[in-house]
Every structure is written in structure tokens, then in C-alpha cells.
């Protein structure tokens, strides 16, 4: 099978949702959706629990709409959970320490919402969920920094292999 990566660096789910109809080609049989990590950087520890849940629900709503759009066009859909990240400390020019990348708690909130999408499509034979998060965690449940690049966000080649294998395992 040929896999084309049509992702856009830095894209958040609202942009992905609006762009999706323009990239679903008649030649594609399957659409793999692994999107939302960039959105999670907007879920902060300082947000209230209600704010965090609302932001996670908005991300999941966009993902669910993407699934619906692809299914409406007759495509098989694989929706993946978000992979773990490791926030990296960076110093701003103004002297403040900030973190780049999503907090693991934000990833877990969004993944819980994604699992609800899995449940909603459970009886659809043209939908499958792939648990990329679980595949990337080590046996102790620790974040697999060894699979991530130095930015703590993007996978190394080995991490991409784990993601591909998780998606493949979900499909077959």
C-alpha cells in the first residue's frame, strides 16, 4: 500500500477539518487521522478543570467531524490517539521559563475524548481506532522519551515505526 502524509506542520484541528475535504482524493481508500497534538498545547495546568475538559471536547469534536467527513465520502477511517509528548523547558528572552509541547495530562484528556469517538463508531465496519499512545508508552507506563526527538514532540524514526505498527495492527 502507498501511504501519503498530507499533514501540515503546526496545524491545529480546526484547520485540519477545513482542509480535509480538499485533500481526500478519489484514489485513497483509507484516511488515517492523527491530529490534535498541536491543539493540546493550549490546554494549561492553570485552566480550571471545566476549561480543560471544554478544550479537549472541542478538539475531539473536530476529530469526530473529520471522521464524519471522510466516512461521508465513502472512505475507511483510522483514527489514532495522540502520542505521548515530553514538554521541554525553554527560556524566553524576557527571562521567563516556559514549556514547549503539551502536558501529558492534556494528551490524556484528549485521548479520553478520542476513546469516546472510538465507542461511537464501534459498529461501523469502515472505522477503526488505533491506540498510538499505548503503543508508544513503555511497559512501565512511562513516557518513551527515547522514541521522541529532542523537541519532546516529534517522534524519531523509531517512534514513527511504532506509530506505523500500531496503525497497521489496528487495521489487520
Amino acid at each position: 500500500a502507498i501511504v501519503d502524509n498530507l499533514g501540515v506542520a503546526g496545524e491545529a484541528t480546526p484547520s485540519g477539518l477545513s482542509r480535509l475535504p480538499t485533500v481526500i482524493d478519489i484514489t485513497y481508500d483509507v484516511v488515517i487521522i492523527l491530529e490534535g497534538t498541536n491543539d493540546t498545547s493550549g490546554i494549561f495546568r492553570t485552566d480550571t478543570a471545566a476549561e480543560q475538559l471544554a478544550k479537549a471536547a472541542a478538539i475531539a469534536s473536530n476529530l469526530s467531524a473529520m471522521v464524519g467527513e471522510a466516512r461521508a465520502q465513502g472512505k475507511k477511517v483510522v483514527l489514532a490517539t495522540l502520542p505521548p509528548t515530553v514538554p521541554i523547558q525553554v527560556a524566553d528572552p524576557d527571562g521567563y521559563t516556559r514549556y514547549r509541547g503539551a502536558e501529558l495530562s492534556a494528551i490524556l484528556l484528549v485521548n479520553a475524548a478520542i476513546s469516546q469517538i472510538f465507542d461511537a463508531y464501534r459498529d461501523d465496519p469502515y472505522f477503526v481506532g488505533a491506540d498510538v499512545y499505548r503503543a508508544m508508552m513503555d511497559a512501565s507506563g512511562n513516557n518513551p522519551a527515547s522514541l521522541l526527538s529532542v523537541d519532546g514532540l516529534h517522534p524519531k524514526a523509531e517512534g514513527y515505526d511504532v506509530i506505523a505498527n500500531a496503525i497497521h495492527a489496528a487495521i489487520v
Side-chain angles (χ1 to χ4, degrees):
I2 296 173
V3 177
D4 290 328
N5 180 355
L6 300 177
V8 173
E11 181 173 79
T13 58
S15 297
L17 175 58
S18 65
R19 192 173 60 82
L20 183 66
T22 66
V23 296
I24 294 179
D25 188 288
I26 191 114
T27 60
Y28 296 120
D29 296 324
V30 178
V31 174
I32 300 170
I33 301 170
L34 173 51
E35 188 148 344
T37 302
N38 292 322
D39 302 65
T40 61
S41 63
I43 300 175
F44 304 107
R45 281 188 205 175
T46 54
D47 290 341
T48 66
E51 289 169 331
Q52 291 176 359
L53 287 172
K55 289 177 181 182
I59 296 165
S61 177
N62 289 329
L63 293 171
S64 184
M66 287 182 208
V67 171
E69 174 67 29
R71 288 296 299 115
Q73 293 195 33
K75 304 300 180 183
K76 297 175 185 170
V77 177
V78 178
L79 176 62
T81 56
L82 304 183
T85 61
V86 177
I88 303 296
Q89 258 187 351
V90 293
D92 277 356
D94 57 0
Y96 292 101
T97 299
R98 302 196 192 281
Y99 289 88
R100 179 173 179 223
E103 292 287 335
L104 194 55
S105 59
I107 298 289
L108 292 173
L109 274 176
V110 173
N111 282 343
I114 290 172
S115 72
Q116 292 175 351
I117 300 170
F118 289 0
D119 291 343
Y121 282 90
R122 177 185 15 244
D123 296 329
D124 184 339
Y126 298 101
F127 173 87
V128 66
D131 196 348
V132 166
Y133 178 87
R134 184 175 302 230
M136 288 190 71
M137 296 300 281
D138 71 15
S140 303
N142 295 317
N143 206 332
S146 64
L147 296 175
L148 299 173
S149 65
V150 295
D151 70 2
L153 179 65
H154 297 95
K156 294 179 184 176
E158 299 88 349
Y160 281 115
D161 287 343
V162 170
I163 291 170
N165 289 334
I167 290 170
H168 180 263
I171 294 171
V172 295

